Amino acid sequence: MRVCVLGAGVVGLATAWTLSEAGCEVVVADGATTVGQGASAGNGAQLSYNFVAPFASPDTLRHLPALLWDGAAPVRLKPQFNMDFLRWNLAFLRNCTSRKVRETTAAQLALGALSRAELDIVEKAAELSFCRRVAGKLVVYRERGSFAAGRRDAEAQRGIGAEQIVLDGAECLREEPGLRIAPGLLQGGVYTQSEELGDSAAFCEGLAAKLSQRNTVSFVMGGQVTPLLREGKLVAVRANGADIAADCFVLCFGSGSARFARACGFRLPIQPMKGYSFTFRPRTPSDELRHSVTDADRKIVFAPLDRPDGQVIRAAGIADLVGEDRSIDPKRLAAVRKGTEDALDVDLDSDPIGWTGLRPATPDSRPIIGPSPVPGLLLNTGHGALGWTLACGSARLAVQLLLGQEPSVRAADFAYGR
Ligand SMILES: Cc1cc2nc3c(=O)[nH]c(=O)nc-3n(C[C@H](O)[C@H](O)[C@H](O)COP(=O)(O)OP(=O)(O)OC[C@H]3O[C@@H](n4cnc5c(N)ncnc54)[C@H](O)[C@@H]3O)c2cc1C
């Protein structure tokens, strides 16, 4: 079977690999000139298998007025007057219930477990090196109220997720000596030993290099990809002035997926959620981090990536629902820089530019995996804030659905129109 994978981000490449391993002929098509250039390039590097709670929740609903009016909040919503945006927001509000949060958390934990197992397989089979390690994750809280909520979440997740340990402020600083938050400013934290991290850009680069060595895999890079339909079926796509025909197409265009779907004649509930990151060097070896750290009240994550030439710390944050706009807002970028300065001792000149990317966000935070309304087009997109974490499990599920195999997780939880 010849399959065309639309997108060379982490989700598209994981899908291409899984298809190729299953014996398919694969073509990967992407508008960028190299792989892993979208949201997969500079993300937070967290393989966050246990922190999968959705953004839509009763708690988010309570804070919505502040999000709408506080320009400095780590989450920002710019109202847009188009039907897709309005529909997305209404669906988001419908998902802000405790029942939906429970449903989504259970579905994502299952996909997370599958993803961890699949990443083990891909890493070994493709002999990849991408700074992956079990670093453990420490979520620290500055506010009394948020610490109480974090502690409640840890209790609620006991039994369905990994074992989590609640620490007081002093214990947090002992566990993570690289933290530079004054003891009096820390209420406490929650530590999860089993959490991992890894560099998704290095994963993309390594996997693409391995795929390129196979004569059953090809890449068509650089040039917008548009659909060619015949009698309502997707039969080919146009890229770089040439037509690519295939038996099936898998849509992995991340935040560009909704536009492609519109061109095919259906709606995908995906909105771009913009975030920012820096990749800093710790100032001295004693400023290096042992673990992934999340500064919960500032909503910034720090991931220590141990590269051959020394540690770098990826600092990522901000979630702005501001449309398909890739421009850097200097004030939002500065907030991540300031948040880093307030928590760690890094050389701020080691990354003077920073990075921005668009998370492909669905209203319930779950990816959309499975058949689309258009014959010939399968969906594997909408991974929001967890695309790196969920890429390999999503690829497995998509390929199982494509080849008519028994799915490893409940496919209905991720179906289009669920
Ligand atoms: C600041 C930030 C921090 C994050 N932190 C984490 C984290 O710590 N852990 C985690 O698991 N996830 C994280 N994420 C989310 C994760 O990065 C994304 O979910 C993931 O990268 C999505 O992968 P993708 O392959 O679907 O999309 P992308 O990586 O965006 O790839 C999509 C590709 O499609 C191409 N494309 C789109 N439209 C077209 C078109 N019409 N024609 C041709 N090509 C097209 C693009 O060029 C791009 O290469 C973060 C995201 C951001 C922005």
Side-chain angles (χ1 to χ4, degrees):
M1 185 192 274
R2 178 177 156 90
V3 184
C4 178
V5 176
L6 303 171
V10 69
V11 174
L13 291 168
T15 305
W17 175 266
T18 313
L19 283 164
S20 176
E21 289 285 275
C24 297
E25 182 191 340
V26 183
V27 188
V28 181
D30 195 295
T33 49
T34 51
V35 302
Q37 289 303 297
S40 308
N43 64 28
Q46 319 273 317
L47 290 163
S48 194
Y49 299 112
N50 294 286
F51 291 83
V52 294
F55 183 37
S57 69
D59 193 48
T60 304
L61 198 57
R62 262 194 302 282
H63 290 99
L64 212 52
L67 298 184
L68 286 170
W69 302 117
D70 179 1
V75 180
R76 182 185 285 174
L77 194 152
K78 182 172 130 200
Q80 293 152 56
F81 298 99
N82 65 67
M83 281 311 286
D84 286 345
F85 185 77
L86 293 175
R87 276 171 200 263
W88 190 97
N89 278 282
L90 286 174
F92 180 86
L93 292 175
R94 280 198 300 277
N95 278 286
C96 287
T97 65
S98 304
R99 185 175 63 82
K100 283 287 180 189
V101 170
R102 275 197 306 277
E103 258 178 46
T104 294
T105 304
Q108 299 278 73
L109 283 171
L111 190 59
L114 177 64
S115 297
R116 191 197 289 253
E118 290 291 330
L119 183 59
D120 287 345
I121 296 169
V122 178
E123 183 181 16
K124 204 177 269 173
E127 297 172 321
L128 300 177
S129 165
F130 52 96
C131 306
R132 183 184 182 195
R133 70 180 170 101
V134 184
K137 184 185 184 79
L138 178 64
V139 182
V140 296
Y141 299 89
R142 293 166 185 262
E143 310 288 337
R144 204 182 292 263
S146 57
F147 181 39
R151 179 185 286 219
R152 266 198 312 276
D153 288 349
E155 297 291 331
Q157 200 144 316
R158 193 157 287 161
I160 54 168
E163 218 37 54
Q164 298 184 314
I165 306 166
V166 178
L167 305 173
D168 65 25
E171 287 169 331
C172 288
L173 296 171
R174 271 201 298 280
E175 185 58 46
E176 184 50 80
L179 263 180
R180 297 287 176 267
I181 303 177
L185 295 179
L186 265 191
Q187 295 296 328
V190 174
Y191 179 62
T192 313
Q193 197 275 330
S194 60
E195 289 294 274
E196 299 186 13
L197 52 78
D199 186 341
S200 82
F203 173 84
C204 289
E205 220 173 282
L207 200 55
K210 283 288 152 98
L211 283 165
S212 306
Q213 290 167 4
R214 297 184 172 183
N215 55 17
T216 50
V217 179
S218 57
F219 285 81
V220 180
M221 302 294 294
Q224 285 299 294
V225 178
T226 51
L228 294 169
L229 295 126
R230 194 178 306 137
E231 291 164 9
K233 181 179 191 293
L234 184 65
V235 290
V237 292
R238 180 154 295 165
N240 280 341
D243 292 353
I244 306 169
D247 301 308
C248 181
F249 296 80
V250 188
L251 182 57
C252 308
F253 274 162
S255 60
S257 299
R259 205 159 12 99
F260 186 87
R262 262 197 309 278
C264 291
F266 68 99
R267 286 175 195 279
L268 259 186
I270 294 177
Q271 285 291 323
M273 192 170 274
K274 196 196 280 196
Y276 294 87
S277 78
F278 285 97
T279 307
F280 291 123
R281 292 246 169 226
R283 209 175 279 285
T284 68
S286 68
D287 300 317
E288 293 185 357
L289 288 179
R290 284 184 190 164
H291 311 293
S292 269
V293 173
T294 300
D295 194 339
D297 298 294
R298 306 272 169 89
K299 301 225 172 340
I300 299 183
V301 296
F302 303 107
L305 295 169
D306 294 335
R307 293 183 174 163
D309 60 344
Q311 187 177 95
V312 293
I313 297 176
R314 176 72 49 76
I318 305 285
D320 288 347
L321 213 49
V322 291
E324 216 176 334
D325 165 13
R326 281 165 217 276
S327 64
I328 286 187
D329 176 340
K331 279 199 191 134
R332 305 301 272 163
L333 191 63
V336 177
R337 203 177 174 84
K338 173 81 174 67
T340 309
E341 247 185 318
D342 288 351
L344 310 178
D345 201 356
V346 295
D347 174 8
L348 293 172
D349 294 334
S350 57
D351 183 358
I353 297 169
W355 173 87
T356 186
L358 302 176
R359 303 174 186 88
T362 59
D364 62 5
S365 297
R366 288 182 229 170
I368 305 170
I369 305 168
S372 77
V374 169
L377 180 65
L378 194 95
L379 306 169
N380 186 10
T381 187
H383 293 75
L386 287 172
W388 170 216
T389 306
L390 301 178
C392 291
S394 302
R396 173 60 61 202
L397 177 59
V399 173
Q400 286 170 334
L401 294 172
L402 183 68
L403 300 181
Q405 299 167 349
E406 185 65 30
S408 301
V409 295
R410 244 174 64 96
D413 288 340
F414 304 97
Y416 176 79
R418 54 183 170 259

